[in-house]
Amino acid sequence: MSERSAMPRPQGAYVPVVAEPLGTGDVLIATAGMTPRRDGRLAVTGLVGRDLDVGAAREAAALAARNAVAAATAGAPGRVRRWVRMSVYVACADGFAELSAVADGASAVLDEAAPGLGRPARSAIGVRALPGGAPVEIELTAVAAAADSSAEDE
């Protein structure tokens, strides 16, 4: 991954990631919604299709996805085996319909971060507003190997 993000700090009363044993030796990892933050501050705000064009929104989605990957990998007691699901929320102006093009910025980060894990199922959802005026928010779910089984893979 070319630009590595640190584990994002919660911006409210929640945890950034939850790891839940599946009973199969694997662990389900679910992140909270991650926005395009650097050092705890939103790097970009506004509505897509009004304040940001598709290119700027794709970059914001990429940054939010890097934050989600950082949370997922920090929450994994072992290593991530598979991206399972990604939800991409896009705060957009009425009539904006290029949601998938914005979400592709987040998908590109997953491809770059771990090409062998495959792509997750994905939703791109247009919304009126997101926390702090963020243009995008990413939720990521993954399956990771349990901590003791990751040593066998290295």
Side-chain angles (χ1 to χ4, degrees):
M1 198 162 45
S2 60
E3 183 182 332
R4 191 161 188 98
S5 295
M7 167 78 127
R9 285 189 349 254
Q11 302 296 308
Y14 63 90
V15 295
V17 63
V18 171
E20 183 66 29
L22 291 173
T24 61
D26 287 338
V27 178
L28 183 69
I29 305 295
T31 73
M34 298 291 163
T35 53
R37 291 180 182 273
R38 281 193 185 98
D39 301 320
R41 294 180 180 262
L42 278 171
V44 61
T45 60
L47 289 181
V48 181
R50 185 188 76 188
D51 308 314
L52 289 90
D53 63 16
V54 171
R58 278 177 60 95
E59 289 177 24
L63 177 54
R66 283 190 289 276
N67 289 335
V69 167
T73 56
R79 84 179 163 76
V80 174
R81 288 185 193 248
R82 179 81 169 103
W83 305 123
V84 176
R85 177 138 186 81
M86 180 168 58
S87 298
V88 181
Y89 299 93
V90 181
C92 55
D94 288 344
F96 181 81
E98 296 178 66
L99 300 167
S100 288
V102 172
D104 284 346
S107 292
V109 167
L110 298 187
D111 290 346
E112 178 187 317
L117 298 185
R119 289 187 174 156
R122 184 186 86 185
S123 297
I125 306 146
V127 299
R128 173 118 7 238
L130 289 168
V136 294
E137 184 172 20
I138 309 288
E139 292 176 342
L140 185 59
T141 304
V143 172
D148 57 354
S149 65
S150 66
E152 298 169 9
D153 297 337
E154 295 177 333

